[in-house]
Structure formats: structure tokens, C-alpha cells
Amino acid sequence: MDELRILNEAKVPSALDTLDERVLVALSARLREASAMRRMMALAAFVSLGGGFFVGSAIVPPAVAASPITPLIPASPLAPSTLLDSR
């Protein structure tokens, strides 16, 4: 019981008086930052998707036939692409 009496009589540090206020201020700042981050991520997604859609639909390059991967070696007659050809 002497320990409890000693603790009861001990002086409380002054930093403990403002501890609750500092914690609440830090939490509110963190909530504001999280809210701002969500808005910035939504804006970045909108700009990225909108820009991709615009560039993909506005600037259409002309279609070009693909060249063979290995121009020096003729296509094998047993290649799957020739076996499935209906011609």
C-alpha cells in the first residue's frame, strides 16, 4: 500500500496535461491527409484514364501488316499456323 500512496503523492509531469490534445490534433491531421490522398488518387486515375482514352481514340496510326519474325527462315509447313489455315 505504500507504493500506491507514493504514486498518489507524486507530481504529474506537465506534458501529460497536453497529451490528449496533441494526440487528437495528430489524428485529425492524419484524417485530413488521408482524405486529400484519396482525392488526389481519384484525380490521377481520371487524368490517366481520360488521357489514355483520348490518345487511343484521337490519334489512330495507319494499320501496317506485321513482318515475319524471322525473315531469313521460311515458315515450316508443319507449323500450327499453317496446319490451321483453311486455304
Side-chain angles (χ1 to χ4, degrees):
M1 287 302 215
D2 288 336
E3 292 86 11
L4 293 177
R5 192 172 342 111
I6 292 171
L7 285 175
N8 190 28
E9 294 171 358
K11 184 178 177 185
V12 177
S14 61
L16 287 179
D17 291 337
T18 61
L19 182 63
D20 291 337
E21 182 180 340
R22 289 185 296 170
V23 168
L24 292 175
V25 167
L27 284 175
S28 66
R30 180 176 276 187
L31 287 175
R32 282 193 308 273
E33 290 171 0
S35 176
M37 182 60 67
R38 281 193 295 272
R39 279 184 258 141
M40 291 300 293
M41 292 296 286
L43 177 66
F46 178 73
V47 168
S48 176
L49 291 173
F53 179 76
F54 175 74
V55 170
S57 62
I59 304 171
V60 179
V64 177
S67 62
I69 295 175
T70 55
L72 301 176
I73 302 171
S76 171
L78 297 178
S81 59
T82 59
L83 293 174
L84 296 175
D85 193 11
S86 62
R87 292 184 265 156

